[in-house]
Amino acid sequence: MSKISIVGLGPGEYSLISQGALDALHSSCRIYLRTEKHPIVNKLKETIKYTSLDYFYDSEENFEDVYYKISKHIVELAKEGDLVYAVPGHPRVAEKTVGIIESMAKENNIEVETIASMSFVDAMFNYLAVDPADGFKLIDAFEIENSYIDTNTSMIITQIYDHFIASNIKLKLMEYYDYDQEVCIVNGAGVKNLESKKYVPLYELDRSENLFNYLTSLYIPKSSKKMYNTVHDLEAIMNTLRGENGCDWDKKQTHESLKKYVIEETYELCQAIDNDDIDEMIEELGDILLQVIFHCQIGKEEGYFDLKEVVNGICTKLINRHPHVFNNVDLDMSQFEKTWEELKRDEKGETSITSGLKRIPNHLPALIKAEKIQHKAALIGFDWDDIKDVFEKIDEEYKELLDECKQGNIKYIKEELGDLLFSIVNLARFLHIDSEEALNLTNQKFINRFEFMEENASKLHKKLEDLTLDQMEELWQSAKKNKL
């Protein structure tokens, strides 16, 4: 069995490379360096011969491809015999190729040994006189878009090679930190004749172009100026509010007591959308998010569920219901809604279409629920062919309502009125009109006209209720003429 010895070259000072690493380098004739852009290499080349793999950086478009190709190359070479693969710093700290090589080597029955030296992270903390025991997070500059930024702990960002990367990092960090948050640009940590540090406010991070090279990292201390912009922040606040020294009102709330607030906040968001008020939308979306976190906190305290379970559930559902996006399944997008319903029934283990109708919440406004029932039925073909049939149905239900009104039986009057409303919702669906929205527009129109009537009555020094019905009707028609 051949063997790959992965050697750490340390942060850059020759005295900081381990004796074990030096012994491995001096005992092998097959040495490969991921990169020779490392301060220690000039001294090492006096006693060893190596092959640099820097040419991979010129032939590939992104770092992921570079690391994969280098790893594959090393494993292929190892099939011919033992070799040493040397990387900057510590093999287990921010070195992507190590994990890839280990995985590939295992598949090819090749032994892998790692020989550590001091990491650049150790050198940075020593240079900055900071104790890492207080906690820190290490992030690659090229992965920051998908990384969780925790302002409650210190952070090191590596691979800030140039001014362009520094600018991108600044923009990302300003989403989480105050603009004048102090950060430290560190160069050559662990290389005495190259070490430098410069503390700057965050907004000035990219204003010194000559500070950035392949030995540049950024240190951000724990923030004293908290910016609340993640779900985790909201979770922490809710945990405090429900905690021992929290708010008595928040602590006594239950899933049941919060139901009405979910409904209220949803309607307030709809109002903000109708008003095209962005600031109001931000506020109302926040209120809805609060309700989600509130219920998750209660679920966590009761031991039934938490936010992680809720997020996992919705992510799994979205992936499952979009097989054409996540699993390369060919779908007829004209039948997407039908497919969605079928996938939903499969998820819930339902065998009948009726179960989907029964699943529609009773708390929905009746007009919305009627439209959903009709829509689900239409997906399997139970629908009118022509809008003329819908009008005929409305006429039929109207006549049946008139007949029952003549009889005076309130039970049947209510039933026929419901049938008439249901058929009108069907008409709205055929016309692609939201019946709830249409009725709300009429509600608002009535309010506007009523306000006009009251204001004009006041101009006559009268109260609206003191006018005759004919006078009210005259004002109503006047409101209509004014296009209210």
Side-chain angles (χ1 to χ4, degrees):
M1 178 188 292
S2 58
K3 177 180 177 181
I4 301 172
S5 296
I6 303 180
V7 169
L9 297 177
E13 192 70 32
Y14 190 81
S15 62
L16 299 181
I17 186 173
S18 70
Q19 188 60 49
L22 286 171
D23 290 344
L25 290 167
H26 288 136
S27 63
S28 176
C29 61
R30 301 183 73 211
I31 301 171
Y32 298 87
L33 271 59
R34 175 170 67 75
T35 176
E36 61 180 349
K37 293 179 180 179
H38 192 274
I40 200 175
V41 173
N42 283 335
K43 187 171 181 62
L44 282 177
K45 66 172 57 174
E46 298 173 3
T47 56
I48 68 169
K49 290 185 178 181
Y50 65 85
T51 299
S52 169
L53 303 178
D54 279 306
Y55 62 88
F56 279 96
Y57 289 86
D58 299 325
S59 62
E60 303 299 331
E61 293 185 358
N62 58 67
F63 282 101
E64 285 186 6
D65 289 341
V66 170
Y67 297 146
Y68 177 81
K69 291 291 180 63
I70 287 177
S71 301
K72 185 177 181 181
H73 182 63
I74 290 296
V75 172
E76 290 298 319
L77 290 170
K79 292 177 181 179
E80 302 170 9
D82 296 353
L83 60 82
V84 171
Y85 172 61
V87 298
H90 189 299
R92 298 293 182 189
V93 179
E95 182 54 55
K96 295 295 181 61
T97 59
V98 173
I100 302 172
I101 287 172
E102 286 180 322
S103 177
M104 290 182 174
K106 185 176 181 181
E107 294 175 359
N108 289 276
N109 198 32
I110 298 173
E111 182 184 352
V112 176
E113 174 190 23
T114 57
I115 303 172
S117 291
M118 179 186 282
S119 76
F120 79 95
V121 174
D122 295 318
M124 274 193 70
F125 281 121
N126 182 60
Y127 180 48
L128 296 172
V130 174
D131 186 354
D134 294 332
F136 75 98
K137 186 177 179 69
L138 182 64
I139 295 179
D140 187 312
F142 293 93
E143 296 182 350
I144 194 166
E145 285 298 326
N146 299 316
S147 298
Y148 169 54
I149 307 299
D150 185 359
T151 59
N152 291 317
T153 190
S154 62
M155 183 163 56
I156 294 174
I157 301 177
T158 66
Q159 301 201 75
I160 307 181
Y161 295 146
D162 54 35
H163 177 261
F164 177 75
I165 297 173
S167 294
N168 287 339
I169 294 296
K170 182 185 81 170
L171 293 174
K172 179 66 176 180
L173 294 179
M174 288 184 76
E175 296 176 10
Y176 298 88
Y177 294 92
D178 198 77
Y179 76 101
D180 61 353
Q181 164 73 32
E182 185 178 66
V183 301
C184 185
I185 304 168
V186 182
N187 269 306
V191 190
K192 289 184 179 179
N193 63 326
L194 295 178
E195 280 183 326
S196 69
K197 58 185 175 182
K198 182 178 181 180
Y199 287 91
V200 297
L202 179 57
Y203 69 89
E204 290 186 0
L205 174 59
D206 57 348
R207 295 189 181 179
S208 301
E209 295 189 31
N210 296 328
L211 286 178
F212 307 104
N213 56 59
Y214 70 97
L215 292 176
T216 306
S217 295
L218 185 69
Y219 173 74
I220 306 138
K222 178 179 177 179
S223 177
S224 59
K225 295 182 178 180
K226 181 66 178 174
M227 292 184 70
Y228 303 103
N229 52 16
T230 72
V231 174
H232 302 287
D233 295 326
L234 187 52
E235 270 192 295
I237 291 170
M238 181 51 63
N239 186 61
T240 299
L241 290 173
R242 296 270 300 181
E244 182 179 352
N245 298 315
C247 170
D248 289 340
W249 186 88
D250 290 288
K251 287 191 285 187
K252 71 181 182 181
Q253 298 309 310
T254 65
H255 294 306
E256 187 68 27
S257 69
L258 291 173
K259 280 196 312 183
K260 62 180 180 180
Y261 299 110
V262 176
I263 296 170
E264 287 175 10
E265 302 300 354
T266 303
Y267 278 112
E268 287 176 7
L269 172 62
C270 292
Q271 183 71 40
I273 294 171
D274 289 342
N275 294 340
D276 196 22
D277 188 327
I278 300 300
D279 290 334
E280 190 180 355
M281 283 176 62
I282 293 171
E283 180 179 345
E284 299 307 337
L285 283 167
D287 289 342
I288 290 175
L289 181 58
L290 169 62
Q291 294 304 312
V292 174
I293 299 300
F294 213 144
H295 282 281
C296 287
Q297 179 65 27
I298 295 172
K300 182 178 179 181
E301 292 166 2
E302 294 176 345
Y304 292 122
F305 67 91
D306 59 12
L307 179 62
K308 295 183 183 67
E309 190 170 347
V310 170
V311 171
N312 178 69
I314 187 60
C315 288
T316 301
K317 181 192 294 184
L318 287 173
I319 292 170
N320 183 55
R321 295 189 189 175
H322 294 84
H324 56 300
V325 176
F326 298 102
N327 294 312
N328 296 318
V329 175
D330 289 330
L331 284 186
D332 180 356
M333 294 308 294
S334 66
Q335 297 292 314
F336 180 68
E337 288 186 277
K338 182 179 180 182
T339 303
W340 180 279
E341 286 298 322
E342 291 170 352
L343 289 169
K344 188 187 294 187
R345 287 200 298 272
D346 289 343
E347 286 173 12
K348 298 181 179 298
E350 297 171 349
T351 57
S352 70
I353 297 171
T354 306
S355 58
L357 300 180
K358 290 181 177 179
R359 203 188 327 112
I360 299 172
N362 289 327
H363 284 5
L364 276 179
L367 291 179
I368 296 177
K369 185 171 183 179
E371 194 278 333
K372 281 187 170 293
I373 291 170
Q374 294 168 5
H375 181 68
K376 287 179 183 290
L379 288 174
I380 57 97
F382 188 71
D383 202 2
W384 300 107
D385 293 323
D386 194 297
I387 195 170
K388 290 189 300 181
D389 299 322
V390 181
F391 280 113
E392 288 175 5
K393 185 63 177 175
I394 291 173
D395 187 55
E396 174 191 325
E397 298 297 349
Y398 172 66
K399 290 176 180 176
E400 289 178 2
L401 174 60
L402 286 179
D403 290 340
E404 292 301 335
C405 286
K406 292 174 183 177
Q407 299 296 324
N409 189 323
I410 190 63
K411 176 185 175 182
Y412 295 116
I413 291 174
K414 183 187 294 185
E415 181 179 324
E416 294 302 337
L417 180 59
D419 290 346
L420 177 59
L421 290 172
F422 193 84
S423 61
I424 290 174
V425 171
N426 223 341
L427 174 62
R429 185 173 60 84
F430 258 78
L431 295 171
H432 305 292
I433 292 172
D434 185 321
S435 56
E436 187 81 12
E437 184 178 346
L439 183 55
N440 273 324
L441 287 173
T442 296
N443 289 339
Q444 188 58 51
K445 180 166 61 177
F446 183 92
I447 292 171
N448 293 341
R449 291 177 180 177
F450 203 85
E451 183 180 34
F452 177 89
M453 291 166 59
E454 191 167 29
E455 288 174 352
N456 278 271
S458 179
K459 290 176 183 178
L460 298 173
H461 306 291
K462 293 184 179 181
K463 292 182 179 180
L464 192 58
E465 58 266 36
D466 294 334
L467 300 181
T468 65
L469 185 57
D470 288 339
Q471 289 172 320
M472 289 184 187
E473 176 62 22
E474 185 178 341
L475 289 176
W476 179 267
Q477 294 301 326
S478 179
K480 289 179 65 175
K481 288 178 182 178
N482 282 275
K483 298 183 178 179
L484 293 179

